[in-house]
Amino acid sequence: MRQCLIYDGPGAEAKLIGLEYMISENLFLTLLDEEKPLWHSHEYEVKSGVLFLPGVPGPIELHGLDTVCKTYGKTIHFWQVDKGDNLPLGLPQLMMALTRDGQLYDQLAKGNRNVEKRFGVSIEKERAKRVELKGPDHGIHPLANGGGNGLIPKLREVDCKPADSVPRVFV
């Protein structure tokens, strides 16, 4: 398992906006079926060229992405910086990955946020370099990626009585 911190940019002022757990296909296959839809495959993200490692030399990046291409991830974003908030407000969001062409808004890649220009990459050139990479050995599991459906986690109240044996300290 890998644990990845997600920032909104590469600079010293970047905000920590989320985290992702990445697991192997073999570990994913051991998950309960009701857990699997909460995990996404990385094959499309890698092979399409939209996932890249800024500042990592090409051959080293390709080797790393070859490994990532076979994994599954569970990503939680707790700061939606695109809303312009100065703090991480609201509920954390379970995020899914891009899984096919047509899901990435063109303005995110080439428009006002211009990822390609900011990071000096061409998504199409990256896609061409990665055509030989392979995804999970058993193919993408049908329950991964939300089982092909959108998911909305629900917040609910539960009765949690405090344990008398646990000291409470507030600073």
Side-chain angles (χ1 to χ4, degrees):
M1 180 181 74
R2 294 180 183 188
Q3 300 175 82
C4 306
L5 300 177
I6 303 169
Y7 293 88
D8 70 338
E13 300 298 317
K15 296 173 181 77
L16 177 64
I17 63 170
L19 62 100
E20 180 170 12
Y21 298 100
M22 295 172 63
I23 60 174
S24 68
E25 177 183 22
N26 288 339
L27 188 53
F28 176 82
L29 293 173
T30 68
L31 299 175
L32 297 174
D33 282 353
E34 54 267 13
E35 175 68 18
K36 288 177 178 142
L38 304 175
W39 294 76
H40 60 269
S41 61
H42 289 120
E43 182 177 5
Y44 177 82
E45 279 184 303
V46 170
K47 292 180 76 171
S48 69
V50 299
L51 183 63
F52 56 91
L53 308 175
V56 176
I60 296 169
E61 178 187 44
L62 194 60
H63 177 73
L65 291 175
D66 184 45
T67 301
V68 171
C69 197
K70 299 168 178 55
T71 64
Y72 290 87
K74 186 176 192 178
T75 305
I76 298 99
H77 282 202
F78 35 84
W79 194 337
Q80 286 75 46
V81 293
D82 56 322
K83 292 182 177 180
D85 296 328
N86 292 324
L87 296 169
L89 303 175
L91 294 173
Q93 302 290 314
L94 178 67
M95 304 302 286
M96 288 294 162
L98 300 172
T99 57
R100 63 184 178 275
D101 287 339
Q103 292 177 318
L104 178 63
Y105 294 118
D106 196 49
Q107 68 266 25
L108 292 178
K110 302 175 192 302
N112 57 354
R113 299 220 28 205
N114 205 331
V115 170
E116 291 185 319
K117 185 175 180 182
R118 277 181 36 198
F119 294 102
V121 298
S122 163
I123 292 172
E124 287 307 314
K125 286 180 183 175
E126 291 300 316
R127 180 189 293 247
K129 288 192 272 185
R130 301 171 186 185
V131 71
E132 300 296 323
L133 297 182
K134 304 285 186 232
D137 291 335
H138 297 97
I140 296 171
H141 194 283
L143 293 177
N145 303 319
N149 300 308
L151 298 174
I152 300 175
K154 294 184 180 180
L155 182 66
R156 59 187 170 93
E157 278 190 41
V158 295
D159 187 22
C160 291
K161 295 178 181 166
D164 295 331
S165 62
V166 179
R168 306 264 179 195
V169 178
F170 297 95
V171 179

